[in-house]
Amino acid sequence: MAVAASGKWSLGGCQLGAGGSQRAVRSAEARPRFVEGSIVRIFMENFLTYDVCEVRPGPSLNMIVGANGTGKSSIVCAICLGLAGKPSFIGRADKVALFVKQGCLKGVVEIELSKTPDNIIITREIQVVNNTSTWFINRKPTTLKTVEEQIAALNIQVDNLCQFLPQDKVGEFAKLSKIELLEATEKSIGPPGMYQFHCELKNFREKERELENLCRDKTNSLEKMKQRIERYKQDVERYHERKRHLDLIEMLERKRPWVEYENVRQQHEEVKQRRDQAKEELKNLKEMQSPVTKKIQETEEHFKSLDMKIRDKAAEIKDTSQKCKQKQDSLEMKDKQIEEINQALRMKKDEEMDRQRKIHNTHKMIEDWKNELDKMVVCENLQPQTDAVNNELKKLQEERANIDSDISDLTAEKMNQEREKNRLIDRLGQLNNIMNMKEENLKGRFRDTHTALMWLRKNKDKFKRKVCEPIMLEINMKDNRHSKYVENHISANDMRAFVFESQEDMEMFLVEMRDHQKLRVNAVCAPAESCAESLPSRPIEELHRYGFFSYLRELFDAPHPVMSYLCSNYRVHDVPVGTEKTRNMIERVIQETKLKQIYTAEEKYIVKVSAYTNLTLSTNISLRAAQFLTSSVDTDERRQLENQQQDISNMLKSLDMRLTTLLERQKHLERRDNELRQQKKELLERGNRRRQLESKIGVKYDSLRQLEQDAINLEKESQLANVKIKEINTEKAKLVTELMHLIKNCISLNILKADLVLQSATVAAEKSRLESEYKAASVQLRAAEQQFHELDDRKRVLTENCKELLKKARQVCKLSPDQYLPKEFQTAFQALPTTLEEIDAFLNEEKNRASCFTGLNASVVEEYNKQTQEIQQLTDYLEEKKNELDNYKQNISQVKERWLNPLKKLIEQINEKFSNFFSSMQCVGEVDLHVENEEEYDKYGIRIRVKFHSSTELHELTPYHQSGGEKSVSTMLYLMALQELNRCPFRVVDEINQGMDPMNERRVFEMVVKTACKESTSQYFFITPKLLQNLTYNDKMTVLFVYNGPFMLEANKWNLKAFCRRRRRLGRMDEQ
């Protein structure tokens, strides 16, 4: 293992230009022998990332390690292309010229292969100009075919995924069918001739099927020929009886044209009569159809007129209904005004009644005191104390009056605030209805997500941090017209995803939803460090000249975690939105702004830079219509309403507190008033009762005068209230009159509309009836026209046929055009059948009889001999093919035995190693031979079945069932199972460990080291960008480190020996 702190190994290698490699070599021990065909040296010049580089791998396991982009896979590409591989085998490019370093016209790849007695050096020069390659073997020019023959002789197969698995083809291994996997395994590790035996079996079986079909067809043909020759034998024996029938046949043939002519003439007359009838019927139908067409047009116009009137009435009804709603709202407002006036008047009446009661009580008290005064004598003077108590009582009364006024004002203010609060609650209810619409949309499209949402709202106390509802509910567009940009930018899966601030909360939520409730839901976690306030790469003002008006983030509002996630994953803070102006100058925008994503009015542009050509590539996609965000709540208005509601609630609490304070103060003043009165009473009792009574009477007179001054004119107040109510009632009456007028108008409009709808339905039914009649008549008319034309065409044809048949009949009887049929012919014809069917039957019968007697004719005898010879030839040919078929069956049996038995033994060995590898990982894996039909050799295949969890069954390895890591582990272990059985000189596996978890990666690495470092195995290349810590290594391993950077040493400055000395010296210093 090559490590900086080790003294046993030292680093060496070469580095030049943009890249290079370093390999670990032994300092003292001799290197093991290379397997024939393994790679001794790789040289690259102007190839991908390399200027000049030479790599010398070891004979066993070669670990090629380096960061991504340094050039590890470039070495794999060099191996493939240098050994006559095609670019498609790598999966990176389709032209070999694309592998030449950018800016160079020629690249060179040189591979030195181990071979006895001398190594083979294969050189490939790649020309960029015409995408061609020049080949050399041991520095001598050669052809591609010669190179391929040399490589095939060493059993090197860069097109076989079991031997050569590049980075871009790792995923395709699991996609191999069972048949393809069997062929790749046969080529890779099968004994010499196994794959050829398989191909021969498939070819033999195909030839066997062809021979079986051929023998079956020829047997049927032979049987038919034998039946035919039997008939020929009978014809020869009866040939001489033929002559007596020939004269009768001749006469029948003369009569036949005349009978045929007469039949056609009769048909002509019949068709002519039918044509005349069809012509008359066609004329009548055309005359009947004209009025129907006119009536349909009139009905169509009437229907359109009624439809226009219905739409007008509907518009009038809608307008009238809106006016009725306005009038009803006005009436409700008037009722509220009347109620307020009556409430004020009732308060005035209560106040006046209280004043009258106080005046009455005061008069009564004065009268009582005067009566008592008349009976009293003069007493001591307690007037000063009495005056003080009276003054305090007066102040208390004034304060009580002020408190009563304040309580009345606060009560009125509380009522106003409660009315305003109800109005805000109604408006918030309307906004919540919009949110309900969004939730219904979510429920209709993603029922599982809606179910999870309901659960979340009931269980929010289970989560440690904030959990946001699905993004489509949390996003509120500032302008619904811009919703299409946001929906086209955010994936549908994320639109219905829940957003968590805590990873632990998200995992708990997903376990509950997916595992317990079996719901298909999505969830994402906001970044730990908030990105919601991230700044764009440039101010939007700099982009205004290109037609951009905003970044995506400014088009909508969302909670802080949602905005942070969208900024982090979708960079909504840095994706601008433009207009049609942007679309018109898009090429300039892409070139000058260097933006990665751009939105115009109706399109989305994605801009990328090619890693090979450094060219800017752009793709555009038409924006799809918005589906989720079209109904949005004005968050500013909602927030403002909620703040107002909170303020009003706070105000109501404050008012309640003030009212409570005032009521308590009022009770306190009442108690103080009672105390003062009691005190005053005691003073009056202690002092001169007369003066007390006089003073009290004076005070009461003052109070009485004050009460009389505060008198309320209830009649006037009532009149004023009645006047206001009358005015309001007048307005109400006017509104009611207008409302009644509008309602009547609306009813009349609805009646008119219903009448018009009925008329429209009647006209539509009449129109449908007329169209049906017109359609039926049109069909009948077309049928009549067609019948007429057919009959007319038939008449013309029959006329011509009559002329031709008459001419033919005269020619048969050898008559001139003007000559009639002679009597001798007429007499002879009378004894013969009179119809064509009888004549044909009689003629055929006579001809058949005559033909039965042609067997002794020379041609019949010749044909008989010819058929006999063909039967003999076919018999011999059939016997030959049957022998050939037997030979093929025997060959198939022999080749099958030589192929199938070693194949089964080979697969058993693979299965044993594959199963052992899986067992060491506490998993189960099997490899077996899959056979559908033992005779169908092209259907044989290798089946890989794996089980990674004890609770599951064995499943076949497919591109879809297993995870990426499981497929990588299965692929790697299958290749390792082939390693010890391998007869190929080397194997290449590129970055197959990227999908594995650390535990599987460590286990697989240990198996690779153990298997690839055995004495009997071939060379192994394992490419990876990283390795786990504390792995197990072997002395036979070779580790090549690939570096890349601007500070690499040039090759002529690299001194391996000096570096090794320096490394040993540093090692000794570390030990000290």
Side-chain angles (χ1 to χ4, degrees):
M1 172 62 195
V3 271
S6 172
K8 185 178 180 181
W9 296 90
S10 58
L11 295 176
C14 73
Q15 48 187 356
L16 257 184
S21 68
Q22 298 180 338
R23 63 177 292 270
V25 296
R26 295 196 178 190
S27 57
E29 299 180 9
R31 287 192 287 175
R33 182 179 61 84
F34 283 85
V35 175
E36 185 163 308
S38 57
I39 299 175
V40 178
R41 181 177 59 87
I42 305 168
F43 174 78
M44 296 168 283
E45 180 180 355
N46 298 331
F47 186 79
L48 290 176
T49 60
Y50 296 104
D51 290 337
V52 177
C53 179
E54 185 176 272
V55 181
R56 292 184 176 274
S60 297
L61 175 60
N62 291 274
M63 300 293 298
I64 301 179
V65 185
N68 290 328
T70 54
K72 303 185 303 300
S73 296
S74 299
I75 298 174
V76 177
C77 296
I79 294 173
C80 178
L81 298 179
L83 296 177
K86 298 179 181 178
S88 59
F89 297 165
I90 308 170
R92 285 198 169 191
D94 56 350
K95 294 182 180 179
V96 71
L98 296 176
F99 290 85
V100 177
K101 187 171 184 178
Q102 191 174 1
C104 301
L105 298 178
K106 183 180 78 171
V108 178
V109 176
E110 187 172 277
I111 308 292
E112 183 177 349
L113 301 176
S114 175
K115 190 178 181 182
T116 305
D118 296 321
N119 291 349
I120 297 177
I121 300 175
I122 298 175
T123 307
R124 181 175 188 172
E125 293 184 358
I126 304 170
Q127 307 294 333
V128 175
V129 177
N130 51 6
N131 192 40
T132 58
S133 298
T134 306
W135 295 90
F136 301 86
I137 294 181
N138 295 330
R139 308 287 194 277
K140 295 179 181 180
T142 186
T143 62
L144 173 60
K145 184 177 181 181
T146 305
V147 173
E148 290 175 342
E149 290 173 353
Q150 290 281 353
I151 292 170
L154 296 171
N155 198 31
I156 297 173
Q157 306 165 20
V158 293
D159 60 339
N160 189 340
L161 294 182
C162 289
Q163 180 176 345
F164 191 87
L165 192 61
Q167 178 181 354
D168 296 314
K169 293 286 186 177
V170 170
E172 292 189 11
F173 185 87
K175 297 179 183 179
L176 288 175
S177 67
K178 294 185 282 292
I179 298 172
E180 293 171 336
L181 183 59
L182 173 60
E183 292 181 354
T185 304
E186 288 177 335
K187 293 178 183 177
S188 178
I189 66 168
M194 175 178 282
Y195 180 68
Q196 285 73 19
F197 288 153
H198 191 185
C199 293
E200 287 179 11
L201 274 175
K202 290 189 283 186
N203 293 332
F204 285 162
R205 176 56 185 156
E206 183 65 27
K207 193 67 177 177
E208 182 185 21
R209 280 196 293 266
E210 292 177 359
L211 287 172
E212 287 174 347
N213 294 332
L214 178 64
C215 291
R216 185 165 51 253
D217 294 340
K218 293 301 181 183
T219 301
N220 294 335
S221 299
L222 182 61
E223 187 64 29
K224 291 178 181 178
M225 291 178 68
K226 288 180 178 179
Q227 294 174 2
R228 203 161 44 240
I229 200 169
E230 285 297 324
R231 290 197 300 271
Y232 287 153
K233 186 184 295 185
Q234 295 174 4
D235 291 341
V236 170
E237 293 174 353
R238 300 175 60 190
Y239 167 73
H240 294 288
E241 298 182 13
R242 181 174 68 93
K243 183 61 177 174
R244 64 186 180 87
H245 299 283
L246 295 180
D247 293 338
L248 184 57
I249 291 172
E250 182 180 0
M251 190 57 66
L252 287 169
E253 289 176 346
R254 286 180 176 178
K255 181 177 181 180
R256 192 181 187 288
W258 289 97
V259 174
E260 191 174 0
Y261 162 73
E262 183 61 25
N263 290 342
V264 173
R265 187 186 67 78
Q266 291 177 0
Q267 290 178 17
H268 175 268
E269 293 298 327
E270 182 182 352
V271 169
K272 180 180 179 184
Q273 184 178 1
R274 287 169 58 196
R275 187 204 66 165
D276 294 339
Q277 291 175 355
K279 184 175 182 181
E280 186 65 24
E281 183 180 355
L282 180 62
K283 180 180 178 182
N284 294 335
L285 287 174
K286 286 182 178 179
E287 291 175 353
M288 290 170 60
Q289 196 174 26
S290 178
V292 177
T293 305
K294 184 176 180 182
K295 195 168 183 179
I296 288 174
Q297 292 175 351
E298 293 173 354
T299 306
E300 179 71 24
E301 292 175 359
H302 189 195
F303 180 76
K304 289 181 179 178
S305 174
L306 288 173
D307 187 56
M308 185 63 70
K309 291 179 181 179
I310 290 170
R311 285 199 293 270
D312 293 341
K313 292 301 177 186
E316 291 181 24
I317 290 169
K318 183 178 180 181
D319 183 55
T320 305
S321 299
Q322 291 176 351
K323 291 179 180 178
C324 287
K325 182 65 170 59
Q326 294 173 359
K327 297 299 180 184
Q328 289 173 348
D329 294 341
S330 300
L331 282 172
E332 291 177 1
M333 186 61 68
K334 296 299 180 185
D335 289 336
K336 290 181 181 179
Q337 292 176 1
I338 291 172
E339 180 61 28
E340 290 173 357
I341 292 170
N342 289 329
Q343 180 69 21
L345 182 60
R346 282 193 296 273
M347 291 175 67
K348 294 284 186 181
K349 287 181 179 180
D350 293 341
E351 186 178 349
E352 179 61 20
M353 288 176 66
D354 185 58
R355 190 186 69 84
Q356 291 293 342
R357 186 171 56 256
K358 289 180 180 179
I359 290 174
H360 175 73
N361 293 334
T362 304
H363 276 295
K364 185 177 180 181
M365 290 173 67
I366 291 173
E367 186 178 352
D368 292 339
W369 287 340
K370 282 182 178 181
N371 293 331
E372 185 179 356
L373 188 62
D374 291 340
K375 299 176 181 180
M376 284 187 178
V377 295
V378 178
C379 298
E380 60 177 326
N381 186 14
L382 297 176
Q383 188 63 37
Q385 296 181 27
T386 304
D387 291 341
V389 172
N390 287 333
N391 290 335
E392 188 173 354
L393 279 171
K394 186 176 180 180
K395 291 179 181 179
L396 278 176
Q397 289 175 353
E398 290 177 356
E399 187 176 355
R400 287 181 67 185
N402 291 334
I403 288 175
D404 290 340
S405 177
D406 290 343
I407 289 174
S408 178
D409 293 342
L410 288 176
T411 303
E413 178 65 19
K414 182 179 178 181
M415 292 175 63
N416 292 334
Q417 292 295 334
E418 286 177 346
R419 283 197 295 271
E420 181 64 17
K421 183 178 180 180
N422 292 334
R423 186 188 68 79
L424 293 176
I425 290 173
D426 292 341
R427 179 56 184 160
L428 283 171
Q430 294 175 1
L431 296 180
N432 288 332
N433 287 336
I434 297 177
M435 287 300 296
N436 291 336
M437 290 171 59
K438 295 177 72 174
E439 287 184 20
E440 287 299 322
N441 188 15
L442 175 69
K443 182 177 181 182
R445 292 177 178 271
F446 312 110
R447 183 169 295 276
D448 285 1
T449 304
H450 184 268
T451 304
L453 174 63
M454 296 298 101
W455 181 89
L456 174 66
R457 289 178 177 174
K458 297 177 182 178
N459 298 274
K460 282 195 174 182
D461 56 329
K462 296 183 179 181
F463 299 98
K464 297 180 180 178
R465 302 189 65 183
K466 182 177 180 181
V467 181
C468 294
E469 296 182 355
I471 293 177
M472 64 180 288
L473 298 182
E474 297 286 8
I475 287 179
N476 282 302
M477 299 302 302
K478 297 180 180 178
D479 188 337
N480 289 340
R481 293 175 299 174
H482 299 151
S483 57
K484 60 183 178 181
Y485 303 119
V486 179
E487 286 198 26
N488 279 272
H489 193 70
I490 303 172
S491 69
N493 285 336
D494 277 357
M495 286 294 288
R496 59 190 177 96
F498 296 83
V499 182
F500 292 79
E501 286 188 331
S502 167
Q503 182 73 24
E504 182 181 352
D505 287 346
M506 184 180 76
E507 292 174 357
M508 187 270 283
F509 174 77
L510 290 177
V511 168
E512 173 65 28
M513 292 300 104
R514 294 179 176 173
D515 297 345
H516 298 164
Q517 299 191 24
K518 307 301 181 183
L519 299 177
R520 294 181 294 177
V521 298
N522 293 339
V524 296
C525 189
E529 184 176 350
S530 175
C531 301
E533 306 299 331
S534 299
L535 297 176
S537 58
R538 70 197 82 183
I540 192 63
E541 290 75 16
E542 293 184 8
L543 301 176
H544 282 168
R545 57 197 178 102
Y546 300 112
F548 294 106
F549 63 87
S550 174
Y551 286 108
L552 276 178
R553 182 177 63 184
E554 318 308 327
L555 300 180
F556 63 91
D557 293 321
H560 195 274
V562 175
M563 187 64 77
S564 177
Y565 173 76
L566 295 179
C567 289
S568 173
N569 286 57
Y570 291 94
R571 297 191 62 78
V572 294
H573 64 284
D574 204 24
V575 177
V577 181
T579 59
E580 193 62 32
K581 176 182 177 182
T582 312
R583 173 67 182 84
N584 295 334
M585 56 189 304
I586 191 65
E587 293 183 0
R588 179 184 166 193
V589 171
I590 293 172
Q591 183 178 3
E592 294 181 3
T593 63
K594 308 298 183 183
L595 291 168
K596 302 300 182 185
Q597 294 189 67
I598 298 170
Y599 284 92
T600 64
E602 297 296 336
E603 292 179 327
K604 175 183 179 182
Y605 287 82
I606 300 174
V607 183
K608 296 181 180 178
V609 178
S610 172
Y612 292 105
T613 62
N614 205 28
L615 295 177
T616 300
L617 307 174
S618 66
T619 57
N620 63 312
I621 307 169
S622 296
L623 299 180
R624 62 180 183 276
Q627 299 178 357
F628 307 119
L629 305 178
T630 52
S631 299
S632 293
V633 178
D634 189 340
T635 53
D636 291 337
E637 181 186 0
R638 184 175 182 176
R639 193 180 302 111
Q640 185 177 359
L641 290 172
E642 290 174 348
N643 292 337
Q644 290 179 7
Q645 186 181 15
Q646 185 63 35
D647 293 342
I648 290 173
S649 298
N650 295 336
M651 176 66 74
L652 287 172
K653 290 180 182 178
S654 175
L655 290 173
D656 289 337
M657 292 174 64
R658 290 172 62 188
L659 278 171
T660 303
T661 304
L662 288 173
L663 290 172
E664 290 177 354
R665 180 62 179 167
Q666 188 181 44
K667 292 179 181 178
H668 174 72
L669 290 176
E670 287 179 356
R671 287 194 299 271
R672 181 59 181 163
D673 183 83
N674 293 332
E675 291 173 358
L676 288 173
R677 291 182 187 277
Q678 183 64 30
Q679 185 180 356
K680 183 178 178 181
K681 181 178 179 181
E682 292 175 355
L683 287 172
L684 290 173
E685 290 176 353
R686 285 170 48 204
N688 188 341
R689 185 64 177 165
R690 182 180 182 86
R691 286 197 302 274
Q692 290 178 359
L693 290 174
E694 288 175 352
S695 177
K696 286 174 71 175
I697 291 170
V699 171
K700 286 299 178 181
Y701 273 121
D702 292 339
S703 176
L704 187 61
R705 282 192 297 271
Q706 183 65 38
L707 287 171
E708 289 175 348
Q709 289 176 3
D710 293 339
I712 297 174
N713 191 342
L714 290 177
E715 184 178 355
K716 183 179 179 182
E717 293 293 335
S718 179
Q719 288 176 356
L720 289 174
N722 289 334
V723 169
K724 291 180 181 178
I725 291 172
K726 186 176 180 181
E727 291 176 355
I728 293 172
N729 284 330
T730 303
E731 294 176 0
K732 278 183 65 178
K734 184 179 179 181
L735 288 171
V736 170
T737 304
E738 292 175 355
L739 178 61
M740 291 301 296
H741 177 71
L742 289 172
I743 291 173
K744 289 178 181 179
N745 191 21
C746 186
I747 292 171
S748 61
L749 288 172
N750 275 297
I751 293 171
L752 290 174
K753 180 184 174 185
D755 183 57
L756 289 171
V757 170
L758 290 174
Q759 293 181 34
S760 176
T762 305
V763 172
E766 179 64 18
K767 178 186 170 187
S768 299
R769 184 185 64 79
L770 291 173
E771 287 178 344
S772 299
E773 293 177 358
Y774 180 80
K775 185 176 180 181
S778 298
V779 171
Q780 188 177 1
L781 180 62
R782 286 195 296 272
E785 287 178 346
Q786 184 177 358
Q787 183 181 8
F788 171 74
H789 291 308
E790 289 176 354
L791 290 172
D792 192 53
D793 294 341
R794 181 74 183 279
K795 175 182 171 296
R796 285 195 298 271
V797 171
L798 289 173
T799 302
E800 294 298 325
N801 288 345
C802 284
K803 293 178 180 179
E804 291 296 328
L805 290 171
L806 181 60
K807 181 178 179 182
K808 179 181 177 182
R810 285 177 172 164
Q811 288 177 351
V812 169
C813 294
K814 299 179 181 179
L815 300 175
S816 62
D818 299 331
Q819 187 177 1
Y820 292 103
L821 186 64
K823 288 186 178 181
E824 57 271 19
F825 282 120
Q826 295 179 12
T827 303
F829 288 169
Q830 289 177 356
L832 298 175
T834 56
T835 64
L836 284 176
E837 290 78 7
E838 293 174 348
I839 291 173
D840 289 339
F842 198 10
L843 188 59
N844 287 335
E845 183 181 353
E846 292 300 319
K847 285 182 177 180
N848 288 336
R849 289 178 180 177
S851 63
C852 292
F853 305 132
T854 59
L856 295 180
N857 192 312
S859 60
V860 174
V861 174
E862 183 181 351
E863 182 67 21
Y864 177 80
N865 294 334
K866 181 180 178 182
Q867 291 288 335
T868 303
Q869 186 178 1
E870 288 179 356
I871 288 173
Q872 184 60 41
Q873 291 175 352
L874 185 57
T875 302
D876 297 339
Y877 178 76
L878 185 59
E879 185 65 26
E880 179 184 349
K881 291 300 177 183
K882 286 182 178 179
N883 293 334
E884 187 177 350
L885 177 60
D886 293 337
N887 291 334
Y888 269 109
K889 289 182 178 180
Q890 186 176 1
N891 290 337
I892 288 174
S893 178
Q894 295 173 355
V895 175
K896 180 179 180 181
E897 184 178 354
R898 297 169 64 189
W899 170 74
L900 188 57
N901 292 335
L903 177 62
K904 288 181 178 179
K905 189 178 299 182
L906 179 66
I907 292 177
E908 288 176 0
Q909 294 174 344
I910 297 172
N911 178 52
E912 180 182 358
K913 296 182 181 301
F914 188 74
S915 299
N916 291 337
F917 287 146
F918 261 83
S919 297
S920 65
M921 297 176 62
Q922 287 78 47
C923 300
V924 180
E926 290 184 0
V927 177
D928 60 6
L929 182 64
H930 180 75
V931 181
E932 294 179 359
N933 184 347
E934 290 190 358
E935 301 299 325
E936 300 298 331
Y937 304 106
D938 54 348
K939 297 294 192 299
Y940 277 65
I942 287 181
R943 179 174 61 180
I944 300 176
R945 296 191 298 165
V946 294
K947 181 174 77 171
F948 286 89
H949 307 286
S950 59
S951 60
T952 60
E953 299 294 331
L954 279 170
H955 289 286
E956 185 175 341
L957 181 64
T958 65
Y960 314 107
H961 190 276
Q962 288 80 15
S963 66
E966 291 173 346
K967 287 186 284 189
S968 298
V969 170
S970 303
T971 302
M972 194 67 192
L973 295 186
Y974 184 78
L975 295 179
M976 294 309 302
L978 303 184
Q979 178 69 11
E980 294 185 14
L981 306 173
N982 198 8
R983 63 185 185 86
C984 63
F986 66 86
R987 174 173 283 107
V988 178
V989 178
D990 190 359
E991 296 194 19
I992 197 171
N993 59 332
Q994 294 308 297
M996 301 182 191
D997 56 72
M999 182 180 295
N1000 285 333
E1001 184 177 354
R1002 184 177 299 277
R1003 290 172 175 173
V1004 170
F1005 182 84
E1006 291 174 356
M1007 294 179 193
V1008 171
V1009 172
K1010 181 179 179 182
T1011 304
C1013 292
K1014 291 182 179 180
E1015 291 292 340
S1016 59
T1017 58
S1018 56
Q1019 192 179 38
Y1020 201 100
F1021 290 88
F1022 189 92
I1023 293 89
T1024 178
K1026 49 84 181 177
L1027 289 173
L1028 298 175
Q1029 296 181 355
N1030 301 322
L1031 291 173
T1032 301
Y1033 298 97
N1034 190 289
D1035 290 347
K1036 295 182 180 180
M1037 290 173 58
T1038 301
V1039 182
L1040 298 112
F1041 295 96
V1042 183
Y1043 299 98
N1044 194 327
F1047 303 107
M1048 301 295 292
L1049 287 175
E1050 297 180 2
N1052 55 10
K1053 295 180 180 179
W1054 174 255
N1055 189 324
L1056 179 59
K1057 294 182 179 179
F1059 179 83
C1060 293
R1061 286 195 301 271
R1062 222 167 23 250
R1063 178 63 261 175
R1064 286 194 293 272
R1065 186 166 60 252
L1066 289 173
R1068 287 193 296 271
M1069 291 173 66
D1070 291 340
E1071 291 175 357
Q1072 294 174 359

